[in-house]
Amino acid sequence: MKRILLLFMAAMCSAATAAAADDGHGLKLWYTTPADASAKDSTDAWTDDAEWLKALPLGNGSFGAMVFGDVPMERIQLNEETMWSGSPQHSDNPEAAANLQRIRQLLFEGRYREATELTNRTQVCVGAGSGYGSGKDVPYGSFQTLGDLWIDFDCKDGYTDYYRDLDLETAVTTVSYTQNGVKYRREAFVSQPDQVMVVRMTADSRGALSFTCRMTRPESFTTSCESDQMIMRGALNDGKGGTYLNYMVRLKAIARGGEVTCEGDRVRVSGADEVVLLLAASTDYRLDYPLYKGRDYVNITRRAIEQAGKKSYASLLKAHLKEYKPYFDRVSLSLGADGSQQDIPTDERIANVKQGGQDTHLCELMFQYGRYLLIASSRPGTMPANLQGIWANKVQTPWNGDYHTNVNIQMNYWPAEVTNLSECQLPLFDLIASLVKPGHETARVQYGMGGWVVHPITNIWGYTSPGESSSWGMHPGGTGWLCQHIGEHYRFTGDKEFLRRMYPVLKGAVEFYLDWLTVDPRSGKLVSGPAASPENSFVAPDGSNAQISMGPTHDQQVIWQLFNDFGMASRELGVDDALVRRVAEAKANLAPTKIGSDGRIMEWAEEFKEVEPGHRHISHLFAVHPGAQINMLQTPELAEAAGKSMDYRIAHGGGHTGWSSAWLIIQYARLMRGEQAKGSLDTVLKRCVMPNLFAQHPPFQMDANFGTTAGIAEMLLQSHVYDNGAYVLQMLPALPSAWADGEFTGLKARGGFEVSARWESGRMVEMRVKSLLGNDFRVWYNGEYIDAGKIAAGKTWVWHSR
């Protein structure tokens, strides 16, 4: 009898948790256990913290939070987008220009060992640079945790019926459990319109809520109570023996019933029926060269708390949803999942996939999670998402949690346009524009050239110099790669005011490259250099392992794309001057992408042997994606060679990092190889995804989440080919057999189109194209063009299979 009763109770618990997890759409991360708030974080930047990777992320673009959901003590780890140590610095190398031509001569002569030695001595930055990715105590600085909010509950007894989730459709986390017969519930969200984090706690028994709040961080903080608020404040190390950035966090508790007191360094709530916590944070940072200071952070936080405190919880939630949902609800995706997997907690599903299981709904969830994370970490008027999005739990984050311009920050924004979140990319353009002035100084001091330049890394302090070593730090292609996003944003949106505003940025970039490019004495073509193919090495003819060369394929492709985009922008704005003509001439004389004797795309101008054949970067395939110079419809021979390059990399262990696997999803999708694209997606899920669906490099790094979302979109819709005066909408170009039935709505295509499609048994049965700008388009599906005619702006073209 006892066994029957236990089985009945287990079945009832299972049914209850399944019902709680299933919202009819399945767009929730949900769990039946908390993240352990008592676990201590490692002080090692390069060691992930397992419990932190179970916490659930919230954000409004400028403020981030990680909710652990623990019962005896809740931990909410906090972030603010500009929480950086360091300060502005001068790190351009005045010896570089005088030695540049000698280095080029040595490289053209094949004397790579000498060229590398001279480059490392004269071309890299002066000073500590980024501190080799550990720069919190040097001027470069590091993105840091803002600290932690601790909610220490009086009751430490056991609990049952535990459940927590993150609802992607509302951007709200929920925790519920039963303790001593009382049902407790917590909800949390970060409001963009009210600029506060809101936490509500309720219980179904009067006077059941009693707890103490405090705030801490690993260093550089004090806490105190002022009136009815607890305040944490401090100043961060400037890397020069002093401090620079100032910050403030305010917390206020509003209770119904019971008593609230604020004394010393904590807030005490006793015997309340319901409690709402309001938290606001800011720094004195401003994205304004050369000081990057001036935000009135004290009054910003004070006003936020005061104004939010006058509103009810219902009013705060309503405003949050009104602002958030119009972003998230633009796109839907179904890949034919039967729904049964939604009844399994998310962490268990991840474990099942790592054991070889298939989970189609998890692919849908990862797609929408990437969109959620982008909305949460990058909104108009904020800083762009960094290497960790906006979430970091240490004072020294991996690689300083900065902006890497040799793939990572770009990958963060690959899903922005195609998944209908164009506004979320605006912070990236603000950052790019802010780099023009310091980048002009780097071009002038470092190289004696015009225009502006940035290398492989930058931070919130306008760092544009090379890195500390030529092996990775000589990446002048960073400028062009960043600027590619300007052209892409215009192709998707047709926003001429945006293009007009960013045209000087493009102009400065092409002015630098026109000065930078030099003639290869052997081919007579224009080449970039000395430059690395990002972070990769080759065996040079003199026997040395080298990284820098003249005319690496990546740089050539990036510069071609920049020149092409500058020509497009000039035409759109009606500009036809000497510079436009000079750029067109230089573009025609760039050294082209070449195919090697083994049929692969050559990564360097010569057929060098790779030191690491399975290297994580595939930078020489930039022209496949994110560029479009190589594509299946117009350059099939180069596309075939690109495919061989990818196959070779994977056969030798490539795609082993999170972001690298994510990039391979997109690259294979562009080559219309759906099974391989799905295989790369499976690699991300099996090897790189943590319990809260954060992806790892390792350690934790946000770009793979964004790259995965972009990759799934590219498998279903592509529009990078422009042919005969029209954008080509390639439908289901890389559909794998596992996704036989499905539907998507709201994806965006270049030319200003919103596209929806439905397919059954692997065949498209319906397609809708809404024209937002009235541009011409063509539809390509299954190897053939579908006659689409022409539609005016605001009209929708509908196609059904016969």
Side-chain angles (χ1 to χ4, degrees), residues 533-698:
S533 184
E535 302 181 24
N536 206 359
S537 303
F538 57 90
V539 179
D542 62 8
S544 64
N545 286 351
Q547 295 83 30
I548 62 165
S549 69
M550 297 302 297
T553 299
H554 170 75
D555 273 26
Q556 300 301 121
Q557 293 176 350
V558 166
I559 296 169
W560 183 95
Q561 189 67 56
L562 173 67
F563 286 179
N564 186 67
D565 287 353
F566 181 72
M568 177 272 292
S570 299
R571 289 191 300 274
E572 291 295 305
L573 296 176
V575 179
D576 184 12
D577 56 18
L579 179 63
V580 173
R581 292 187 287 275
R582 187 181 170 204
V583 169
E585 182 179 344
K587 174 188 164 188
N589 199 38
L590 284 170
T593 299
K594 296 187 290 187
I595 300 175
S597 59
D598 60 0
R600 293 185 291 144
I601 297 290
M602 290 170 54
E603 186 160 359
W604 298 278
E606 300 178 54
E607 287 196 70
F608 297 130
K609 179 182 177 182
E610 296 115 313
V611 173
E612 186 183 351
H615 195 264
R616 60 194 176 278
H617 282 266
I618 44 176
S619 305
H620 58 308
L621 303 184
F622 169 92
V624 177
H625 179 277
Q629 188 181 5
I630 298 174
N631 62 76
M632 292 289 289
L633 302 187
Q634 296 170 319
T635 58
E637 184 179 358
L638 285 169
E640 181 182 0
K644 289 181 179 179
S645 295
M646 285 190 284
D647 293 343
Y648 183 87
R649 278 280 158 91
I650 289 182
H652 289 80
H656 53 275
T657 66
W659 60 262
S660 182
S661 295
W663 196 359
L664 285 169
I665 301 171
I666 311 174
Q667 295 278 8
Y668 275 126
R670 283 280 174 98
L671 299 181
M672 303 181 191
R673 295 170 61 175
E675 300 308 321
Q676 285 86 352
K678 176 62 164 54
S680 294
L681 172 58
D682 290 342
T683 297
V684 172
L685 296 176
K686 290 177 181 178
R687 295 173 55 176
C688 307
V689 174
M690 298 296 101
N692 64 357
L693 299 191
F694 273 4
Q696 286 187 309
H697 173 75

Side-chain angles (χ1 to χ4, degrees), residues 402-512:
D402 68 5
Y403 305 109
H404 274 43
T405 68
N406 60 3
V407 68
N408 310 96
I409 189 172
Q410 291 91 341
M411 184 177 288
N412 285 2
Y413 288 94
W414 287 348
E417 303 294 344
V418 68
T419 72
N420 215 334
L421 294 173
S422 291
E423 303 96 323
C424 291
Q425 190 166 207
L426 296 179
L428 175 62
F429 302 125
D430 293 338
L431 178 70
I432 295 171
S434 79
L435 296 175
V436 171
K437 288 182 180 179
H440 175 80
E441 282 300 293
T442 296
R444 182 184 66 82
V445 174
Q446 183 89 17
Y447 303 118
M449 298 178 182
W452 69 278
V453 65
V454 64
H455 294 80
I457 54 173
T458 190
N459 58 11
I460 71 169
W461 308 119
Y463 185 94
T464 53
S465 307
E468 302 91 273
S469 170
S470 66
S471 63
W472 58 271
M474 283 301 294
H475 178 238
T479 313
W481 198 342
L482 283 176
C483 286
Q484 192 240 358
H485 285 251
I486 298 172
E488 287 291 83
H489 183 73
Y490 179 74
R491 290 185 179 94
F492 275 93
T493 66
D495 186 344
K496 235 164 216 190
E497 284 305 310
F498 162 82
L499 191 63
R500 192 170 287 110
R501 176 169 65 88
M502 298 301 292
Y503 189 78
V505 177
L506 291 172
K507 182 179 178 182
V510 300
E511 287 172 339
F512 170 76

Side-chain angles (χ1 to χ4, degrees), residues 85-97:
S85 62
S87 55
Q89 62 175 315
H90 298 289
S91 49
D92 302 324
N93 194 333
E95 294 186 17

Side-chain angles (χ1 to χ4, degrees), residues 111-126:
R111 297 158 66 182
Y112 287 87
R113 193 188 308 274
E114 295 173 68
T116 297
E117 190 277 331
L118 185 57
T119 300
N120 278 324
R121 186 154 44 85
T122 66
Q123 301 298 303
V124 299
C125 64
V126 297

Side-chain angles (χ1 to χ4, degrees), residues 65 97 111 200 233 244 268 282-283 336 355 384 475 535 578 584 725 777:
R111 297 158 66 182
R200 182 175 73 158
R233 71 188 89 201
Y244 201 69
R268 172 70 186 164
S282 184
T283 76
Q355 294 298 316
H475 178 238
E535 302 181 24
F777 71 98

